[in-house]
Amino acid sequence: MRRSRYRWLSLLLFALAVSAHAQSADGDRLFAAGDYAAAAAAYLAAAEADPEDAAALYHAARARTYQARETAGEAAVALYEEAVAHARRATELAPDDPEAHFALARAWGRLAQYRGVLESLNLATLIKRELDRTLELDPDHDGALHALALWHTNVPWVFGGRTEQVRPLFERAIAINPTVLHHLEYGETLLALGDPEAARRQLELALELPAPTAADRAEQARARELLASRF
């Protein structure tokens, strides 16, 4: 009887693991297609099937962050805050996983961008802490290097922002992994820093890359808009 009970429990745990994996795979597919709300729901279903699945939680945080960027008002703030909650839980489950810390930094960082610098200075230290932890765990994490460049761009000097760090950080991120987003946001940053020719080249490079996901295509559309309006 006891052996039968253990066998039943093993089968149940196996079924839950298979279900969690399938839900995460659905989340990946939906995220690539740009259905961020459905992707988040799939990742959260995976996390419900396996409450120790930190990856499902930080992927849910990523999906909610992207969903928030397509939303306005208090609904966007609520999505960013939900992303923060999922990512924070992921860091608790997997404190040595750089992706968990990066998801938390990204959620806080995009929330700070949405609210504006002056209203978000209280988040600057938290964002920097998570980016530093990400890079401590993975010194070549291109997303964290990119985000740290944005941090130095947006945070005033008195709070630690150093604009001389911006170009080296972006260029290192691009050298590690040239993505549409890296080139786009480097171009936007160079425009803000008053270097239109260098910005133009980054925007052009963003358009030269493949765009397999909906996010890539949206970012390329933004690059085209900037090139058309500024040059």
Side-chain angles (χ1 to χ4, degrees), residues 159-202:
F159 292 102
R162 298 291 183 267
T163 55
E164 67 270 17
Q165 296 292 320
V166 172
R167 292 175 193 247
L169 286 165
F170 264 123
E171 288 169 9
R172 187 173 165 210
I174 288 169
I176 293 167
N177 183 24
T179 68
V180 176
L181 181 61
H182 290 342
H183 285 295
L184 169 64
E185 294 201 335
Y186 190 18
E188 290 178 322
T189 300
L190 289 167
L191 282 173
L193 294 176
D195 191 346
E197 286 309 309
R200 180 176 186 167
R201 181 56 184 150
Q202 291 301 318

Side-chain angles (χ1 to χ4, degrees), residues 49-112:
D50 180 2
E52 301 300 309
D53 189 348
L57 286 168
Y58 61 66
H59 284 136
R62 178 189 63 170
R64 287 296 190 225
T65 299
Y66 273 76
Q67 183 186 356
R69 296 181 71 180
E70 298 181 346
T71 310
E74 289 304 310
V77 172
L79 288 168
Y80 283 124
E81 290 176 345
E82 182 186 341
V84 167
H86 295 320
R88 184 185 281 120
R89 177 58 181 154
T91 65
E92 293 169 355
L93 290 171
D96 294 328
D97 188 332
E99 295 302 331
H101 292 280
F102 177 62
L104 183 52
R106 175 173 50 204
W108 268 328
R110 295 304 185 185
L111 175 59

Side-chain angles (χ1 to χ4, degrees), residues 1-69:
M1 182 69 177
R2 182 176 297 176
R3 182 178 299 175
S4 175
R5 186 180 304 147
Y6 287 153
R7 183 171 181 274
W8 178 86
L9 180 59
S10 296
L11 288 172
L12 176 60
L13 292 173
F14 176 76
L16 289 173
V18 170
S19 174
H21 178 77
Q23 293 287 357
S24 288
D26 283 344
D28 293 343
R29 176 180 55 79
L30 291 162
F31 184 89
D35 192 344
Y36 303 121
Y43 291 130
L44 291 173
E48 184 175 358
D50 180 2
E52 301 300 309
D53 189 348
L57 286 168
Y58 61 66
H59 284 136
R62 178 189 63 170
R64 287 296 190 225
T65 299
Y66 273 76
Q67 183 186 356
R69 296 181 71 180

